Amino acid sequence: MEYEAVIGLETHVQLKTKSKMWCGCANEFGAPPNTHVCPVCLGLPGVLPVANEEALRLTALSGFLLNCTVNRYVKFDRKNYFYPDVSKNYQLTQHEHPSTRNGCVEFEFQGGLARVRIIQAHLEEDVGKNFHFDRESGVDFNRAGVPLMEIVTEPDITSAEMAYEYLNALKDILVYGGVSDCDMEKGMVRCDVNVSVRPRGQDRLGARVEIKNMNSFSGVRKALEYEIPRQVKVLEQGGQLIQSTRRWNDVAGITEEMRTKEHVHDYRYFPEPDLMPFQLSDAWLAEVKSRVVELPLARKQRFMRDYQLPAPDAQTFVWDVPLGNYFEGIARQARNPKAAANWVINNLRAQLTEAGTTLADLKFPPTGILELIDLVDSGKISSRIAQEVFGEMFATGQSPGQIVEKKGLVQVSDAGALEQFCDQAIAAHPGPVADFKAGKAAALNFLKGQVMKLSKGKANPALVGEILERKLKG
Ligand code: ADP
Ligand code: MG
Ligand code: ZN
């Protein structure tokens, strides 16, 4: 029998706010333990929470970016449990009335587009972090009360690879929207995986296993690559799967059972008594909506369509937004946008990296690249010389026209001058000449190279080829 995997993801991302969710403590990574704490985020008795409006905005914004319905009525509930990293003994979350519901994420997958439905994206608060040393354990509460958004998918994902691509797409969208930096190394994104298998064609879902403890997207992929065949094997051997929670052991590369359904938590959710429900106004939602940006996939498709760019070039401009915006500034006036993209990606980006500078420091105006392309397209300079001109342009800010003039770099297309160089090269290299005559076509490239050298790179290479061939065959 053939089996298929059914996967749903619950992804938590830390929101990019200056302060925490209910107090004024800084939302900042890397500070010494327990330096960003106060009575509110430590949950001392008698304190009252004050909501961070920006966190509510960023969650609503995420809703718009993820094609969700963004709700006007939003309420927080207490999720009660005991654990050392949650000193309040509860976590606030939007259990009953989340900020957003019913969305979807579209992304490129296996040469086409995939679509994963979003059940909801809701706002909650992060908890502290436990540390275990040789003889003792400690808790750092710097992270406690940091605004955390959870994005829950429908079980629409069908493979480890698809889960991986979904996560990358989600991350790109949230980074683009300015919702979260999604820095994995700083623990800003965490993902729990729910996975079951069923005989292909069966409607009913199989018993789901929740996997925890992956600390990267590739960890998620690896955990699924292990867990799916494990479940299939259980069924194939006549066994039964029960709903359970497993833990990914990255070192061993396996999932291990943590608890089964019997131990499922009962959180005894109830409405947070210290906060009024939120009634968001149309004006408030409209302001949030005005922050919606073009999504990465839409940007890629637009660059490919409007400027006839190949996918990898468009992708470069999706990843590097300032570079893409710079390119667009040029491309709108370019006769040859593809050539402009090549200059921006292959030359400009490389020079910026080498010089350790940014686009803001550029000495030449964007029209410089257009002018350079025109000089090449009209045959005035060779593309090799153009590289040199670009370097000079980058260093001095002079226009390509000025540089070509000053350095006498105009391409030599004058037949008389080129004939002379060709005669010189032929006379100086009898060996390759004989080779060519004996049928070794590659020898022509050598001679061409010699002519380019003699002309200091200024000879028109196409004409040189023609002249050499005529002379050698004649
Ligand atoms: P809970 O309330 O226990 O968190 P949910 O119904 O909210 O459970 O589902 C959590 C996640 O599990 C969702 O992403 C959902 O798509 C996924 N899921 C639910 N049932 C299954 C299943 N049988 N197989 C795989 N994933 C599932
Ligand atoms: Mg859940
Ligand atoms: Zn605090």
Side-chain angles (χ1 to χ4, degrees), residues 43-78:
L44 301 190
V47 297
L48 289 173
V50 177
N52 181 334
E53 192 180 354
E54 181 64 3
L56 283 161
R57 278 196 205 101
L58 291 176
T59 308
L61 175 60
S62 304
F64 288 123
L65 295 171
L66 301 173
N67 308 298
C68 292
T69 305
V70 178
N71 296 323
R72 288 181 159 67
Y73 184 79
V74 168
K75 181 168 119 332
F76 285 88
D77 306 279
R78 290 190 184 185

PDB file of all heavy atoms in Angstrom, residues 43-78:
ATOM      1  N   GLY A  43       5.791  38.639  36.554  1.00  0.00           N
ATOM      2  CA  GLY A  43       4.500  38.183  37.063  1.00  0.00           C
ATOM      3  C   GLY A  43       4.402  38.272  38.575  1.00  0.00           C
ATOM      4  O   GLY A  43       3.778  37.420  39.212  1.00  0.00           O
ATOM      5  N   LEU A  44       4.985  39.309  39.164  1.00  0.00           N
ATOM      6  CA  LEU A  44       4.859  39.466  40.621  1.00  0.00           C
ATOM      7  C   LEU A  44       3.409  39.833  40.953  1.00  0.00           C
ATOM      8  O   LEU A  44       2.702  40.412  40.130  1.00  0.00           O
ATOM      9  CB  LEU A  44       5.825  40.550  41.118  1.00  0.00           C
ATOM     10  CG  LEU A  44       7.308  40.302  40.824  1.00  0.00           C
ATOM     11  CD1 LEU A  44       8.171  41.303  41.584  1.00  0.00           C
ATOM     12  CD2 LEU A  44       7.718  38.873  41.210  1.00  0.00           C
ATOM     13  N   PRO A  45       2.963  39.508  42.163  1.00  0.00           N
ATOM     14  CA  PRO A  45       1.552  39.742  42.495  1.00  0.00           C
ATOM     15  C   PRO A  45       1.202  41.230  42.444  1.00  0.00           C
ATOM     16  O   PRO A  45       2.018  42.081  42.782  1.00  0.00           O
ATOM     17  CB  PRO A  45       1.427  39.226  43.935  1.00  0.00           C
ATOM     18  CG  PRO A  45       2.618  38.368  44.153  1.00  0.00           C
ATOM     19  CD  PRO A  45       3.696  38.865  43.246  1.00  0.00           C
ATOM     20  N   GLY A  46      -0.003  41.519  41.969  1.00  0.00           N
ATOM     21  CA  GLY A  46      -0.517  42.884  42.022  1.00  0.00           C
ATOM     22  C   GLY A  46      -0.205  43.747  40.817  1.00  0.00           C
ATOM     23  O   GLY A  46      -0.671  44.868  40.739  1.00  0.00           O
ATOM     24  N   VAL A  47       0.575  43.255  39.862  1.00  0.00           N
ATOM     25  CA  VAL A  47       0.906  44.098  38.707  1.00  0.00           C
ATOM     26  C   VAL A  47      -0.181  43.988  37.638  1.00  0.00           C
ATOM     27  O   VAL A  47      -0.950  43.031  37.615  1.00  0.00           O
ATOM     28  CB  VAL A  47       2.263  43.699  38.085  1.00  0.00           C
ATOM     29  CG1 VAL A  47       3.382  43.916  39.075  1.00  0.00           C
ATOM     30  CG2 VAL A  47       2.225  42.254  37.583  1.00  0.00           C
ATOM     31  N   LEU A  48      -0.248  44.988  36.776  1.00  0.00           N
ATOM     32  CA  LEU A  48      -1.240  44.984  35.702  1.00  0.00           C
ATOM     33  C   LEU A  48      -0.545  45.132  34.344  1.00  0.00           C
ATOM     34  O   LEU A  48       0.369  45.942  34.214  1.00  0.00           O
ATOM     35  CB  LEU A  48      -2.228  46.141  35.892  1.00  0.00           C
ATOM     36  CG  LEU A  48      -3.201  46.005  37.065  1.00  0.00           C
ATOM     37  CD1 LEU A  48      -3.996  47.290  37.240  1.00  0.00           C
ATOM     38  CD2 LEU A  48      -4.137  44.812  36.840  1.00  0.00           C
ATOM     39  N   PRO A  49      -1.011  44.379  33.367  1.00  0.00           N
ATOM     40  CA  PRO A  49      -0.414  44.487  32.027  1.00  0.00           C
ATOM     41  C   PRO A  49      -0.958  45.678  31.259  1.00  0.00           C
ATOM     42  O   PRO A  49      -2.106  46.049  31.419  1.00  0.00           O
ATOM     43  CB  PRO A  49      -0.870  43.180  31.355  1.00  0.00           C
ATOM     44  CG  PRO A  49      -2.158  42.841  32.030  1.00  0.00           C
ATOM     45  CD  PRO A  49      -2.058  43.362  33.442  1.00  0.00           C
ATOM     46  N   VAL A  50      -0.109  46.296  30.444  1.00  0.00           N
ATOM     47  CA  VAL A  50      -0.543  47.336  29.503  1.00  0.00           C
ATOM     48  C   VAL A  50      -0.098  46.872  28.118  1.00  0.00           C
ATOM     49  O   VAL A  50       1.085  46.628  27.899  1.00  0.00           O
ATOM     50  CB  VAL A  50       0.109  48.696  29.828  1.00  0.00           C
ATOM     51  CG1 VAL A  50      -0.302  49.738  28.791  1.00  0.00           C
ATOM     52  CG2 VAL A  50      -0.268  49.140  31.230  1.00  0.00           C
ATOM     53  N   ALA A  51      -1.068  46.750  27.204  1.00  0.00           N
ATOM     54  CA  ALA A  51      -0.737  46.124  25.908  1.00  0.00           C
ATOM     55  C   ALA A  51       0.176  46.996  25.056  1.00  0.00           C
ATOM     56  O   ALA A  51       0.060  48.213  25.039  1.00  0.00           O
ATOM     57  CB  ALA A  51      -2.020  45.827  25.139  1.00  0.00           C
ATOM     58  N   ASN A  52       1.069  46.351  24.369  1.00  0.00           N
ATOM     59  CA  ASN A  52       1.955  46.998  23.414  1.00  0.00           C
ATOM     60  C   ASN A  52       1.202  47.102  22.079  1.00  0.00           C
ATOM     61  O   ASN A  52       0.970  46.105  21.402  1.00  0.00           O
ATOM     62  CB  ASN A  52       3.218  46.136  23.261  1.00  0.00           C
ATOM     63  CG  ASN A  52       4.225  46.741  22.308  1.00  0.00           C
ATOM     64  OD1 ASN A  52       3.868  47.497  21.411  1.00  0.00           O
ATOM     65  ND2 ASN A  52       5.487  46.396  22.507  1.00  0.00           N
ATOM     66  N   GLU A  53       0.830  48.319  21.720  1.00  0.00           N
ATOM     67  CA  GLU A  53      -0.019  48.500  20.542  1.00  0.00           C
ATOM     68  C   GLU A  53       0.701  48.082  19.264  1.00  0.00           C
ATOM     69  O   GLU A  53       0.087  47.536  18.332  1.00  0.00           O
ATOM     70  CB  GLU A  53      -0.477  49.964  20.444  1.00  0.00           C
ATOM     71  CG  GLU A  53      -1.575  50.148  19.424  1.00  0.00           C
ATOM     72  CD  GLU A  53      -2.051  51.586  19.303  1.00  0.00           C
ATOM     73  OE1 GLU A  53      -1.606  52.441  20.091  1.00  0.00           O
ATOM     74  OE2 GLU A  53      -2.873  51.838  18.413  1.00  0.00           O
ATOM     75  N   GLU A  54       2.003  48.323  19.229  1.00  0.00           N
ATOM     76  CA  GLU A  54       2.753  47.969  18.021  1.00  0.00           C
ATOM     77  C   GLU A  54       2.703  46.456  17.769  1.00  0.00           C
ATOM     78  O   GLU A  54       2.649  46.008  16.625  1.00  0.00           O
ATOM     79  CB  GLU A  54       4.205  48.464  18.147  1.00  0.00           C
ATOM     80  CG  GLU A  54       5.093  48.186  16.941  1.00  0.00           C
ATOM     81  CD  GLU A  54       4.654  48.911  15.655  1.00  0.00           C
ATOM     82  OE1 GLU A  54       3.679  49.694  15.685  1.00  0.00           O
ATOM     83  OE2 GLU A  54       5.294  48.660  14.627  1.00  0.00           O
ATOM     84  N   ALA A  55       2.693  45.665  18.840  1.00  0.00           N
ATOM     85  CA  ALA A  55       2.601  44.216  18.667  1.00  0.00           C
ATOM     86  C   ALA A  55       1.264  43.830  18.050  1.00  0.00           C
ATOM     87  O   ALA A  55       1.189  42.956  17.175  1.00  0.00           O
ATOM     88  CB  ALA A  55       2.794  43.516  20.007  1.00  0.00           C
ATOM     89  N   LEU A  56       0.203  44.505  18.488  1.00  0.00           N
ATOM     90  CA  LEU A  56      -1.118  44.252  17.887  1.00  0.00           C
ATOM     91  C   LEU A  56      -1.119  44.658  16.417  1.00  0.00           C
ATOM     92  O   LEU A  56      -1.667  43.976  15.557  1.00  0.00           O
ATOM     93  CB  LEU A  56      -2.196  45.030  18.645  1.00  0.00           C
ATOM     94  CG  LEU A  56      -2.597  44.420  19.992  1.00  0.00           C
ATOM     95  CD1 LEU A  56      -3.292  45.447  20.875  1.00  0.00           C
ATOM     96  CD2 LEU A  56      -3.503  43.196  19.791  1.00  0.00           C
ATOM     97  N   ARG A  57      -0.457  45.789  16.130  1.00  0.00           N
ATOM     98  CA  ARG A  57      -0.373  46.249  14.737  1.00  0.00           C
ATOM     99  C   ARG A  57       0.377  45.243  13.875  1.00  0.00           C
ATOM    100  O   ARG A  57      -0.057  44.903  12.777  1.00  0.00           O
ATOM    101  CB  ARG A  57       0.378  47.583  14.666  1.00  0.00           C
ATOM    102  CG  ARG A  57      -0.455  48.768  14.968  1.00  0.00           C
ATOM    103  CD  ARG A  57       0.268  50.030  14.479  1.00  0.00           C
ATOM    104  NE  ARG A  57      -0.196  51.176  15.238  1.00  0.00           N
ATOM    105  CZ  ARG A  57       0.485  51.717  16.246  1.00  0.00           C
ATOM    106  NH1 ARG A  57       1.682  51.265  16.576  1.00  0.00           N
ATOM    107  NH2 ARG A  57      -0.024  52.726  16.901  1.00  0.00           N
ATOM    108  N   LEU A  58       1.527  44.782  14.377  1.00  0.00           N
ATOM    109  CA  LEU A  58       2.338  43.862  13.568  1.00  0.00           C
ATOM    110  C   LEU A  58       1.601  42.543  13.322  1.00  0.00           C
ATOM    111  O   LEU A  58       1.754  41.927  12.271  1.00  0.00           O
ATOM    112  CB  LEU A  58       3.698  43.597  14.245  1.00  0.00           C
ATOM    113  CG  LEU A  58       4.658  44.788  14.270  1.00  0.00           C
ATOM    114  CD1 LEU A  58       5.924  44.454  15.050  1.00  0.00           C
ATOM    115  CD2 LEU A  58       5.014  45.232  12.850  1.00  0.00           C
ATOM    116  N   THR A  59       0.802  42.113  14.302  1.00  0.00           N
ATOM    117  CA  THR A  59       0.040  40.878  14.109  1.00  0.00           C
ATOM    118  C   THR A  59      -1.043  41.091  13.054  1.00  0.00           C
ATOM    119  O   THR A  59      -1.235  40.261  12.161  1.00  0.00           O
ATOM    120  CB  THR A  59      -0.585  40.420  15.437  1.00  0.00           C
ATOM    121  OG1 THR A  59       0.441  40.363  16.426  1.00  0.00           O
ATOM    122  CG2 THR A  59      -1.220  39.047  15.306  1.00  0.00           C
ATOM    123  N   ALA A  60      -1.743  42.234  13.148  1.00  0.00           N
ATOM    124  CA  ALA A  60      -2.761  42.540  12.133  1.00  0.00           C
ATOM    125  C   ALA A  60      -2.103  42.656  10.752  1.00  0.00           C
ATOM    126  O   ALA A  60      -2.613  42.129   9.756  1.00  0.00           O
ATOM    127  CB  ALA A  60      -3.488  43.839  12.487  1.00  0.00           C
ATOM    128  N   LEU A  61      -0.938  43.318  10.716  1.00  0.00           N
ATOM    129  CA  LEU A  61      -0.215  43.460   9.448  1.00  0.00           C
ATOM    130  C   LEU A  61       0.118  42.092   8.871  1.00  0.00           C
ATOM    131  O   LEU A  61      -0.047  41.839   7.667  1.00  0.00           O
ATOM    132  CB  LEU A  61       1.067  44.280   9.672  1.00  0.00           C
ATOM    133  CG  LEU A  61       2.001  44.428   8.477  1.00  0.00           C
ATOM    134  CD1 LEU A  61       1.293  45.121   7.321  1.00  0.00           C
ATOM    135  CD2 LEU A  61       3.253  45.226   8.874  1.00  0.00           C
ATOM    136  N   SER A  62       0.567  41.179   9.745  1.00  0.00           N
ATOM    137  CA  SER A  62       0.870  39.822   9.279  1.00  0.00           C
ATOM    138  C   SER A  62      -0.369  39.192   8.677  1.00  0.00           C
ATOM    139  O   SER A  62      -0.298  38.483   7.677  1.00  0.00           O
ATOM    140  CB  SER A  62       1.367  38.950  10.435  1.00  0.00           C
ATOM    141  OG  SER A  62       2.467  39.559  11.043  1.00  0.00           O
ATOM    142  N   GLY A  63      -1.514  39.454   9.313  1.00  0.00           N
ATOM    143  CA  GLY A  63      -2.767  38.936   8.780  1.00  0.00           C
ATOM    144  C   GLY A  63      -2.981  39.402   7.343  1.00  0.00           C
ATOM    145  O   GLY A  63      -3.306  38.608   6.468  1.00  0.00           O
ATOM    146  N   PHE A  64      -2.763  40.685   7.098  1.00  0.00           N
ATOM    147  CA  PHE A  64      -2.925  41.194   5.728  1.00  0.00           C
ATOM    148  C   PHE A  64      -1.916  40.524   4.787  1.00  0.00           C
ATOM    149  O   PHE A  64      -2.247  40.132   3.672  1.00  0.00           O
ATOM    150  CB  PHE A  64      -2.739  42.715   5.694  1.00  0.00           C
ATOM    151  CG  PHE A  64      -3.881  43.477   6.310  1.00  0.00           C
ATOM    152  CD1 PHE A  64      -3.665  44.355   7.364  1.00  0.00           C
ATOM    153  CD2 PHE A  64      -5.179  43.322   5.837  1.00  0.00           C
ATOM    154  CE1 PHE A  64      -4.713  45.064   7.935  1.00  0.00           C
ATOM    155  CE2 PHE A  64      -6.248  44.026   6.396  1.00  0.00           C
ATOM    156  CZ  PHE A  64      -6.007  44.896   7.459  1.00  0.00           C
ATOM    157  N   LEU A  65      -0.676  40.386   5.254  1.00  0.00           N
ATOM    158  CA  LEU A  65       0.377  39.807   4.398  1.00  0.00           C
ATOM    159  C   LEU A  65       0.098  38.335   4.098  1.00  0.00           C
ATOM    160  O   LEU A  65       0.541  37.804   3.087  1.00  0.00           O
ATOM    161  CB  LEU A  65       1.753  39.948   5.062  1.00  0.00           C
ATOM    162  CG  LEU A  65       2.255  41.378   5.249  1.00  0.00           C
ATOM    163  CD1 LEU A  65       3.522  41.379   6.102  1.00  0.00           C
ATOM    164  CD2 LEU A  65       2.528  42.040   3.909  1.00  0.00           C
ATOM    165  N   LEU A  66      -0.606  37.672   5.021  1.00  0.00           N
ATOM    166  CA  LEU A  66      -0.884  36.236   4.850  1.00  0.00           C
ATOM    167  C   LEU A  66      -2.308  36.006   4.340  1.00  0.00           C
ATOM    168  O   LEU A  66      -2.848  34.906   4.460  1.00  0.00           O
ATOM    169  CB  LEU A  66      -0.666  35.493   6.180  1.00  0.00           C
ATOM    170  CG  LEU A  66       0.751  35.596   6.772  1.00  0.00           C
ATOM    171  CD1 LEU A  66       0.821  34.970   8.154  1.00  0.00           C
ATOM    172  CD2 LEU A  66       1.777  34.959   5.849  1.00  0.00           C
ATOM    173  N   ASN A  67      -2.890  37.030   3.762  1.00  0.00           N
ATOM    174  CA  ASN A  67      -4.227  36.923   3.145  1.00  0.00           C
ATOM    175  C   ASN A  67      -5.312  36.462   4.118  1.00  0.00           C
ATOM    176  O   ASN A  67      -6.212  35.703   3.749  1.00  0.00           O
ATOM    177  CB  ASN A  67      -4.189  35.956   1.949  1.00  0.00           C
ATOM    178  CG  ASN A  67      -3.095  36.305   0.973  1.00  0.00           C
ATOM    179  OD1 ASN A  67      -3.117  37.391   0.388  1.00  0.00           O
ATOM    180  ND2 ASN A  67      -2.112  35.428   0.809  1.00  0.00           N
ATOM    181  N   CYS A  68      -5.198  36.886   5.365  1.00  0.00           N
ATOM    182  CA  CYS A  68      -6.166  36.467   6.391  1.00  0.00           C
ATOM    183  C   CYS A  68      -7.297  37.490   6.519  1.00  0.00           C
ATOM    184  O   CYS A  68      -7.191  38.629   6.074  1.00  0.00           O
ATOM    185  CB  CYS A  68      -5.496  36.397   7.767  1.00  0.00           C
ATOM    186  SG  CYS A  68      -4.273  35.107   7.944  1.00  0.00           S
ATOM    187  N   THR A  69      -8.346  37.070   7.177  1.00  0.00           N
ATOM    188  CA  THR A  69      -9.337  38.011   7.683  1.00  0.00           C
ATOM    189  C   THR A  69      -8.732  38.613   8.950  1.00  0.00           C
ATOM    190  O   THR A  69      -8.293  37.878   9.827  1.00  0.00           O
ATOM    191  CB  THR A  69     -10.627  37.258   8.076  1.00  0.00           C
ATOM    192  OG1 THR A  69     -11.051  36.515   6.943  1.00  0.00           O
ATOM    193  CG2 THR A  69     -11.704  38.219   8.517  1.00  0.00           C
ATOM    194  N   VAL A  70      -8.709  39.924   9.035  1.00  0.00           N
ATOM    195  CA  VAL A  70      -8.142  40.577  10.216  1.00  0.00           C
ATOM    196  C   VAL A  70      -9.310  41.035  11.090  1.00  0.00           C
ATOM    197  O   VAL A  70     -10.178  41.776  10.639  1.00  0.00           O
ATOM    198  CB  VAL A  70      -7.245  41.763   9.809  1.00  0.00           C
ATOM    199  CG1 VAL A  70      -6.695  42.467  11.036  1.00  0.00           C
ATOM    200  CG2 VAL A  70      -6.115  41.269   8.908  1.00  0.00           C
ATOM    201  N   ASN A  71      -9.310  40.550  12.310  1.00  0.00           N
ATOM    202  CA  ASN A  71     -10.481  40.760  13.161  1.00  0.00           C
ATOM    203  C   ASN A  71     -10.469  42.090  13.907  1.00  0.00           C
ATOM    204  O   ASN A  71      -9.416  42.604  14.266  1.00  0.00           O
ATOM    205  CB  ASN A  71     -10.594  39.615  14.175  1.00  0.00           C
ATOM    206  CG  ASN A  71     -10.831  38.292  13.476  1.00  0.00           C
ATOM    207  OD1 ASN A  71     -11.539  38.229  12.475  1.00  0.00           O
ATOM    208  ND2 ASN A  71     -10.219  37.231  13.988  1.00  0.00           N
ATOM    209  N   ARG A  72     -11.685  42.604  14.122  1.00  0.00           N
ATOM    210  CA  ARG A  72     -11.824  43.866  14.861  1.00  0.00           C
ATOM    211  C   ARG A  72     -11.920  43.601  16.361  1.00  0.00           C
ATOM    212  O   ARG A  72     -11.557  44.436  17.163  1.00  0.00           O
ATOM    213  CB  ARG A  72     -13.111  44.576  14.435  1.00  0.00           C
ATOM    214  CG  ARG A  72     -13.021  45.136  13.074  1.00  0.00           C
ATOM    215  CD  ARG A  72     -14.326  45.865  12.708  1.00  0.00           C
ATOM    216  NE  ARG A  72     -14.068  46.793  11.633  1.00  0.00           N
ATOM    217  CZ  ARG A  72     -13.730  46.408  10.416  1.00  0.00           C
ATOM    218  NH1 ARG A  72     -13.614  45.128  10.125  1.00  0.00           N
ATOM    219  NH2 ARG A  72     -13.488  47.294   9.477  1.00  0.00           N
ATOM    220  N   TYR A  73     -12.436  42.439  16.707  1.00  0.00           N
ATOM    221  CA  TYR A  73     -12.620  42.096  18.123  1.00  0.00           C
ATOM    222  C   TYR A  73     -11.541  41.092  18.515  1.00  0.00           C
ATOM    223  O   TYR A  73     -11.480  39.991  17.974  1.00  0.00           O
ATOM    224  CB  TYR A  73     -14.013  41.510  18.339  1.00  0.00           C
ATOM    225  CG  TYR A  73     -14.326  41.220  19.785  1.00  0.00           C
ATOM    226  CD1 TYR A  73     -14.705  42.244  20.652  1.00  0.00           C
ATOM    227  CD2 TYR A  73     -14.229  39.918  20.290  1.00  0.00           C
ATOM    228  CE1 TYR A  73     -14.988  41.982  21.980  1.00  0.00           C
ATOM    229  CE2 TYR A  73     -14.507  39.650  21.626  1.00  0.00           C
ATOM    230  CZ  TYR A  73     -14.889  40.687  22.466  1.00  0.00           C
ATOM    231  OH  TYR A  73     -15.167  40.425  23.779  1.00  0.00           O
ATOM    232  N   VAL A  74     -10.700  41.475  19.446  1.00  0.00           N
ATOM    233  CA  VAL A  74      -9.537  40.679  19.812  1.00  0.00           C
ATOM    234  C   VAL A  74      -9.456  40.578  21.328  1.00  0.00           C
ATOM    235  O   VAL A  74      -9.636  41.573  22.028  1.00  0.00           O
ATOM    236  CB  VAL A  74      -8.251  41.360  19.256  1.00  0.00           C
ATOM    237  CG1 VAL A  74      -7.007  40.742  19.835  1.00  0.00           C
ATOM    238  CG2 VAL A  74      -8.229  41.311  17.738  1.00  0.00           C
ATOM    239  N   LYS A  75      -9.208  39.374  21.805  1.00  0.00           N
ATOM    240  CA  LYS A  75      -9.242  39.200  23.258  1.00  0.00           C
ATOM    241  C   LYS A  75      -8.132  38.234  23.692  1.00  0.00           C
ATOM    242  O   LYS A  75      -7.782  37.312  22.958  1.00  0.00           O
ATOM    243  CB  LYS A  75     -10.615  38.624  23.618  1.00  0.00           C
ATOM    244  CG  LYS A  75     -10.885  38.378  25.068  1.00  0.00           C
ATOM    245  CD  LYS A  75     -12.373  38.107  25.240  1.00  0.00           C
ATOM    246  CE  LYS A  75     -12.782  36.773  25.797  1.00  0.00           C
ATOM    247  NZ  LYS A  75     -12.082  35.596  25.693  1.00  0.00           N
ATOM    248  N   PHE A  76      -7.605  38.463  24.886  1.00  0.00           N
ATOM    249  CA  PHE A  76      -6.537  37.587  25.403  1.00  0.00           C
ATOM    250  C   PHE A  76      -7.069  36.650  26.490  1.00  0.00           C
ATOM    251  O   PHE A  76      -7.940  37.026  27.273  1.00  0.00           O
ATOM    252  CB  PHE A  76      -5.393  38.427  25.967  1.00  0.00           C
ATOM    253  CG  PHE A  76      -4.554  39.044  24.889  1.00  0.00           C
ATOM    254  CD1 PHE A  76      -4.896  40.275  24.353  1.00  0.00           C
ATOM    255  CD2 PHE A  76      -3.444  38.379  24.385  1.00  0.00           C
ATOM    256  CE1 PHE A  76      -4.137  40.841  23.338  1.00  0.00           C
ATOM    257  CE2 PHE A  76      -2.675  38.932  23.381  1.00  0.00           C
ATOM    258  CZ  PHE A  76      -3.025  40.163  22.851  1.00  0.00           C
ATOM    259  N   ASP A  77      -6.521  35.433  26.485  1.00  0.00           N
ATOM    260  CA  ASP A  77      -6.898  34.432  27.483  1.00  0.00           C
ATOM    261  C   ASP A  77      -5.656  33.935  28.199  1.00  0.00           C
ATOM    262  O   ASP A  77      -4.554  33.984  27.659  1.00  0.00           O
ATOM    263  CB  ASP A  77      -7.567  33.238  26.794  1.00  0.00           C
ATOM    264  CG  ASP A  77      -8.728  33.660  25.928  1.00  0.00           C
ATOM    265  OD1 ASP A  77      -9.814  33.870  26.473  1.00  0.00           O
ATOM    266  OD2 ASP A  77      -8.516  33.807  24.699  1.00  0.00           O
ATOM    267  N   ARG A  78      -5.870  33.438  29.394  1.00  0.00           N
ATOM    268  CA  ARG A  78      -4.768  32.816  30.122  1.00  0.00           C
ATOM    269  C   ARG A  78      -4.703  31.334  29.797  1.00  0.00           C
ATOM    270  O   ARG A  78      -5.706  30.631  29.873  1.00  0.00           O
ATOM    271  CB  ARG A  78      -4.964  32.980  31.634  1.00  0.00           C
ATOM    272  CG  ARG A  78      -4.786  34.397  32.086  1.00  0.00           C
ATOM    273  CD  ARG A  78      -4.745  34.482  33.605  1.00  0.00           C
ATOM    274  NE  ARG A  78      -4.670  35.897  34.002  1.00  0.00           N
ATOM    275  CZ  ARG A  78      -4.532  36.297  35.250  1.00  0.00           C
ATOM    276  NH1 ARG A  78      -4.470  35.412  36.239  1.00  0.00           N
ATOM    277  NH2 ARG A  78      -4.467  37.583  35.533  1.00  0.00           N
TER     278      ARG A  78
END
